[in-house]
Amino acid sequence: PKRGRGGGGRGRGGRGAADGYGRSSGRSLGRKRYTREGTKKSNNSVDDLETRQEELSPLPPLTVPNGPRPFYFTCRHTYEHTLIDEINRYARRNGGEVHAMSPYPGLVRVEDNDGILTTFYDPVYALQSMPQSVVVTAESIKSISKQVINALLGVGSDDDDDDDESK
């Protein structure tokens, strides 16, 4: 009598050959690491993956240097439109208007040109709020910290300090 999952003891749930004992062709499909000619396929490099991702859906920048500082709110995946509706209702109720969109799943960007949203505005459907956000990039931790301080103080970027490590 057969026991277990009814797979006939062929491991991992494979169907096996028609007679129930082993493979019919002697060749497995495997993980498709090899081409039909028998040569090994090359691994995709990181550059190829990034290029392919940009071709599929180009990622918009989160902020622009010296541009407006939008509010960002995180939410549960698929709740982006509910959060956008909640933010728009709040803005209309307070006599203003905001531009809200979802650049990525679980993320809502709000441009508040009228100054309706307060720094501590906390929508119900938001998991986290990031008011007046700015994205900074740099090559080292020290440079990132300088960029963050400059962004918080509203000072222009100071790129020539990166070369001076004596400070």
Side-chain angles (χ1 to χ4, degrees), residues 70-87:
F71 282 66
Y72 281 99
F73 299 96
T74 61
C75 62
R76 294 183 65 92
H77 173 65
T78 70
Y79 279 78
E80 296 91 352
H81 293 293
T82 307
L83 178 58
I84 289 170
D85 290 342
E86 178 184 357
I87 294 168

PDB file of all heavy atoms in Angstrom, residues 70-87:
ATOM      1  N   PRO A  70       8.634  67.323  -0.946  1.00  0.00           N
ATOM      2  CA  PRO A  70       7.329  66.681  -0.786  1.00  0.00           C
ATOM      3  C   PRO A  70       7.237  65.909   0.523  1.00  0.00           C
ATOM      4  O   PRO A  70       8.238  65.597   1.160  1.00  0.00           O
ATOM      5  CB  PRO A  70       7.270  65.721  -1.976  1.00  0.00           C
ATOM      6  CG  PRO A  70       8.698  65.393  -2.238  1.00  0.00           C
ATOM      7  CD  PRO A  70       9.477  66.631  -1.908  1.00  0.00           C
ATOM      8  N   PHE A  71       6.007  65.620   0.912  1.00  0.00           N
ATOM      9  CA  PHE A  71       5.741  64.721   2.025  1.00  0.00           C
ATOM     10  C   PHE A  71       5.698  63.313   1.445  1.00  0.00           C
ATOM     11  O   PHE A  71       5.186  63.105   0.343  1.00  0.00           O
ATOM     12  CB  PHE A  71       4.373  65.020   2.650  1.00  0.00           C
ATOM     13  CG  PHE A  71       4.342  66.213   3.555  1.00  0.00           C
ATOM     14  CD1 PHE A  71       4.559  67.492   3.060  1.00  0.00           C
ATOM     15  CD2 PHE A  71       4.073  66.071   4.903  1.00  0.00           C
ATOM     16  CE1 PHE A  71       4.514  68.594   3.882  1.00  0.00           C
ATOM     17  CE2 PHE A  71       4.022  67.167   5.734  1.00  0.00           C
ATOM     18  CZ  PHE A  71       4.245  68.438   5.230  1.00  0.00           C
ATOM     19  N   TYR A  72       6.214  62.336   2.171  1.00  0.00           N
ATOM     20  CA  TYR A  72       6.086  60.939   1.793  1.00  0.00           C
ATOM     21  C   TYR A  72       5.399  60.192   2.916  1.00  0.00           C
ATOM     22  O   TYR A  72       5.652  60.450   4.083  1.00  0.00           O
ATOM     23  CB  TYR A  72       7.461  60.300   1.514  1.00  0.00           C
ATOM     24  CG  TYR A  72       7.996  60.649   0.161  1.00  0.00           C
ATOM     25  CD1 TYR A  72       8.933  61.657   0.004  1.00  0.00           C
ATOM     26  CD2 TYR A  72       7.566  59.975  -0.965  1.00  0.00           C
ATOM     27  CE1 TYR A  72       9.420  61.982  -1.246  1.00  0.00           C
ATOM     28  CE2 TYR A  72       8.057  60.296  -2.220  1.00  0.00           C
ATOM     29  CZ  TYR A  72       8.980  61.290  -2.350  1.00  0.00           C
ATOM     30  OH  TYR A  72       9.447  61.618  -3.590  1.00  0.00           O
ATOM     31  N   PHE A  73       4.522  59.288   2.545  1.00  0.00           N
ATOM     32  CA  PHE A  73       3.813  58.443   3.498  1.00  0.00           C
ATOM     33  C   PHE A  73       3.935  57.001   3.037  1.00  0.00           C
ATOM     34  O   PHE A  73       3.757  56.715   1.855  1.00  0.00           O
ATOM     35  CB  PHE A  73       2.329  58.819   3.588  1.00  0.00           C
ATOM     36  CG  PHE A  73       2.096  60.223   4.042  1.00  0.00           C
ATOM     37  CD1 PHE A  73       1.887  61.236   3.120  1.00  0.00           C
ATOM     38  CD2 PHE A  73       2.077  60.541   5.386  1.00  0.00           C
ATOM     39  CE1 PHE A  73       1.666  62.538   3.522  1.00  0.00           C
ATOM     40  CE2 PHE A  73       1.867  61.843   5.807  1.00  0.00           C
ATOM     41  CZ  PHE A  73       1.655  62.851   4.870  1.00  0.00           C
ATOM     42  N   THR A  74       4.248  56.107   3.962  1.00  0.00           N
ATOM     43  CA  THR A  74       4.228  54.686   3.632  1.00  0.00           C
ATOM     44  C   THR A  74       2.890  54.118   4.081  1.00  0.00           C
ATOM     45  O   THR A  74       2.265  54.626   5.018  1.00  0.00           O
ATOM     46  CB  THR A  74       5.368  53.917   4.324  1.00  0.00           C
ATOM     47  OG1 THR A  74       5.227  54.031   5.734  1.00  0.00           O
ATOM     48  CG2 THR A  74       6.717  54.440   3.889  1.00  0.00           C
ATOM     49  N   CYS A  75       2.458  53.086   3.384  1.00  0.00           N
ATOM     50  CA  CYS A  75       1.207  52.428   3.726  1.00  0.00           C
ATOM     51  C   CYS A  75       1.294  50.971   3.305  1.00  0.00           C
ATOM     52  O   CYS A  75       2.255  50.558   2.657  1.00  0.00           O
ATOM     53  CB  CYS A  75       0.025  53.117   3.048  1.00  0.00           C
ATOM     54  SG  CYS A  75       0.080  53.073   1.251  1.00  0.00           S
ATOM     55  N   ARG A  76       0.287  50.206   3.661  1.00  0.00           N
ATOM     56  CA  ARG A  76       0.244  48.810   3.236  1.00  0.00           C
ATOM     57  C   ARG A  76       0.067  48.746   1.729  1.00  0.00           C
ATOM     58  O   ARG A  76      -0.609  49.589   1.146  1.00  0.00           O
ATOM     59  CB  ARG A  76      -0.893  48.078   3.936  1.00  0.00           C
ATOM     60  CG  ARG A  76      -0.679  47.951   5.431  1.00  0.00           C
ATOM     61  CD  ARG A  76      -1.786  47.169   6.072  1.00  0.00           C
ATOM     62  NE  ARG A  76      -1.810  45.795   5.628  1.00  0.00           N
ATOM     63  CZ  ARG A  76      -1.192  44.793   6.239  1.00  0.00           C
ATOM     64  NH1 ARG A  76      -0.487  45.042   7.311  1.00  0.00           N
ATOM     65  NH2 ARG A  76      -1.268  43.569   5.780  1.00  0.00           N
ATOM     66  N   HIS A  77       0.674  47.747   1.133  1.00  0.00           N
ATOM     67  CA  HIS A  77       0.546  47.524  -0.305  1.00  0.00           C
ATOM     68  C   HIS A  77      -0.943  47.421  -0.670  1.00  0.00           C
ATOM     69  O   HIS A  77      -1.706  46.786   0.039  1.00  0.00           O
ATOM     70  CB  HIS A  77       1.287  46.245  -0.671  1.00  0.00           C
ATOM     71  CG  HIS A  77       1.105  45.813  -2.073  1.00  0.00           C
ATOM     72  ND1 HIS A  77       1.564  46.561  -3.128  1.00  0.00           N
ATOM     73  CD2 HIS A  77       0.517  44.734  -2.610  1.00  0.00           C
ATOM     74  CE1 HIS A  77       1.264  45.942  -4.245  1.00  0.00           C
ATOM     75  NE2 HIS A  77       0.627  44.825  -3.959  1.00  0.00           N
ATOM     76  N   THR A  78      -1.344  48.055  -1.713  1.00  0.00           N
ATOM     77  CA  THR A  78      -2.719  48.149  -2.247  1.00  0.00           C
ATOM     78  C   THR A  78      -3.582  49.173  -1.510  1.00  0.00           C
ATOM     79  O   THR A  78      -4.722  49.372  -1.891  1.00  0.00           O
ATOM     80  CB  THR A  78      -3.473  46.796  -2.289  1.00  0.00           C
ATOM     81  OG1 THR A  78      -3.786  46.372  -0.969  1.00  0.00           O
ATOM     82  CG2 THR A  78      -2.679  45.738  -3.031  1.00  0.00           C
ATOM     83  N   TYR A  79      -3.079  49.850  -0.477  1.00  0.00           N
ATOM     84  CA  TYR A  79      -3.851  50.880   0.218  1.00  0.00           C
ATOM     85  C   TYR A  79      -3.442  52.283  -0.222  1.00  0.00           C
ATOM     86  O   TYR A  79      -3.816  53.266   0.403  1.00  0.00           O
ATOM     87  CB  TYR A  79      -3.671  50.755   1.740  1.00  0.00           C
ATOM     88  CG  TYR A  79      -4.544  49.696   2.355  1.00  0.00           C
ATOM     89  CD1 TYR A  79      -4.208  48.352   2.255  1.00  0.00           C
ATOM     90  CD2 TYR A  79      -5.707  50.032   3.030  1.00  0.00           C
ATOM     91  CE1 TYR A  79      -5.005  47.375   2.812  1.00  0.00           C
ATOM     92  CE2 TYR A  79      -6.508  49.069   3.594  1.00  0.00           C
ATOM     93  CZ  TYR A  79      -6.147  47.742   3.481  1.00  0.00           C
ATOM     94  OH  TYR A  79      -6.929  46.774   4.035  1.00  0.00           O
ATOM     95  N   GLU A  80      -2.677  52.384  -1.299  1.00  0.00           N
ATOM     96  CA  GLU A  80      -2.179  53.686  -1.739  1.00  0.00           C
ATOM     97  C   GLU A  80      -3.329  54.632  -2.088  1.00  0.00           C
ATOM     98  O   GLU A  80      -3.332  55.795  -1.670  1.00  0.00           O
ATOM     99  CB  GLU A  80      -1.257  53.536  -2.955  1.00  0.00           C
ATOM    100  CG  GLU A  80       0.001  52.757  -2.678  1.00  0.00           C
ATOM    101  CD  GLU A  80      -0.137  51.266  -2.928  1.00  0.00           C
ATOM    102  OE1 GLU A  80      -1.271  50.791  -3.171  1.00  0.00           O
ATOM    103  OE2 GLU A  80       0.877  50.561  -2.881  1.00  0.00           O
ATOM    104  N   HIS A  81      -4.316  54.153  -2.843  1.00  0.00           N
ATOM    105  CA  HIS A  81      -5.427  55.020  -3.257  1.00  0.00           C
ATOM    106  C   HIS A  81      -6.292  55.430  -2.068  1.00  0.00           C
ATOM    107  O   HIS A  81      -6.804  56.555  -2.028  1.00  0.00           O
ATOM    108  CB  HIS A  81      -6.269  54.335  -4.334  1.00  0.00           C
ATOM    109  CG  HIS A  81      -5.528  54.168  -5.625  1.00  0.00           C
ATOM    110  ND1 HIS A  81      -5.150  55.245  -6.405  1.00  0.00           N
ATOM    111  CD2 HIS A  81      -5.062  53.073  -6.254  1.00  0.00           C
ATOM    112  CE1 HIS A  81      -4.502  54.812  -7.455  1.00  0.00           C
ATOM    113  NE2 HIS A  81      -4.419  53.489  -7.391  1.00  0.00           N
ATOM    114  N   THR A  82      -6.441  54.555  -1.103  1.00  0.00           N
ATOM    115  CA  THR A  82      -7.194  54.901   0.105  1.00  0.00           C
ATOM    116  C   THR A  82      -6.492  56.010   0.867  1.00  0.00           C
ATOM    117  O   THR A  82      -7.133  56.964   1.331  1.00  0.00           O
ATOM    118  CB  THR A  82      -7.349  53.653   1.000  1.00  0.00           C
ATOM    119  OG1 THR A  82      -7.903  52.587   0.230  1.00  0.00           O
ATOM    120  CG2 THR A  82      -8.240  53.943   2.189  1.00  0.00           C
ATOM    121  N   LEU A  83      -5.175  55.919   0.983  1.00  0.00           N
ATOM    122  CA  LEU A  83      -4.400  56.962   1.659  1.00  0.00           C
ATOM    123  C   LEU A  83      -4.448  58.269   0.884  1.00  0.00           C
ATOM    124  O   LEU A  83      -4.611  59.346   1.474  1.00  0.00           O
ATOM    125  CB  LEU A  83      -2.953  56.499   1.851  1.00  0.00           C
ATOM    126  CG  LEU A  83      -1.990  57.488   2.495  1.00  0.00           C
ATOM    127  CD1 LEU A  83      -2.476  57.926   3.864  1.00  0.00           C
ATOM    128  CD2 LEU A  83      -0.599  56.866   2.596  1.00  0.00           C
ATOM    129  N   ILE A  84      -4.347  58.201  -0.439  1.00  0.00           N
ATOM    130  CA  ILE A  84      -4.435  59.412  -1.270  1.00  0.00           C
ATOM    131  C   ILE A  84      -5.791  60.082  -1.095  1.00  0.00           C
ATOM    132  O   ILE A  84      -5.875  61.313  -0.943  1.00  0.00           O
ATOM    133  CB  ILE A  84      -4.157  59.072  -2.749  1.00  0.00           C
ATOM    134  CG1 ILE A  84      -2.675  58.731  -2.929  1.00  0.00           C
ATOM    135  CG2 ILE A  84      -4.553  60.214  -3.660  1.00  0.00           C
ATOM    136  CD1 ILE A  84      -2.330  58.160  -4.286  1.00  0.00           C
ATOM    137  N   ASP A  85      -6.868  59.300  -1.078  1.00  0.00           N
ATOM    138  CA  ASP A  85      -8.209  59.858  -0.859  1.00  0.00           C
ATOM    139  C   ASP A  85      -8.312  60.534   0.504  1.00  0.00           C
ATOM    140  O   ASP A  85      -8.887  61.616   0.626  1.00  0.00           O
ATOM    141  CB  ASP A  85      -9.275  58.771  -0.975  1.00  0.00           C
ATOM    142  CG  ASP A  85      -9.456  58.271  -2.392  1.00  0.00           C
ATOM    143  OD1 ASP A  85      -9.017  58.975  -3.333  1.00  0.00           O
ATOM    144  OD2 ASP A  85     -10.025  57.175  -2.561  1.00  0.00           O
ATOM    145  N   GLU A  86      -7.743  59.910   1.533  1.00  0.00           N
ATOM    146  CA  GLU A  86      -7.783  60.493   2.874  1.00  0.00           C
ATOM    147  C   GLU A  86      -7.035  61.825   2.915  1.00  0.00           C
ATOM    148  O   GLU A  86      -7.523  62.807   3.492  1.00  0.00           O
ATOM    149  CB  GLU A  86      -7.175  59.511   3.884  1.00  0.00           C
ATOM    150  CG  GLU A  86      -7.132  60.056   5.291  1.00  0.00           C
ATOM    151  CD  GLU A  86      -6.435  59.133   6.269  1.00  0.00           C
ATOM    152  OE1 GLU A  86      -6.021  58.020   5.885  1.00  0.00           O
ATOM    153  OE2 GLU A  86      -6.303  59.543   7.434  1.00  0.00           O
ATOM    154  N   ILE A  87      -5.878  61.891   2.295  1.00  0.00           N
ATOM    155  CA  ILE A  87      -5.084  63.132   2.287  1.00  0.00           C
ATOM    156  C   ILE A  87      -5.801  64.225   1.499  1.00  0.00           C
ATOM    157  O   ILE A  87      -5.845  65.386   1.933  1.00  0.00           O
ATOM    158  CB  ILE A  87      -3.680  62.857   1.714  1.00  0.00           C
ATOM    159  CG1 ILE A  87      -2.911  61.938   2.659  1.00  0.00           C
ATOM    160  CG2 ILE A  87      -2.915  64.145   1.482  1.00  0.00           C
ATOM    161  CD1 ILE A  87      -1.636  61.366   2.079  1.00  0.00           C
TER     162      ILE A  87
END
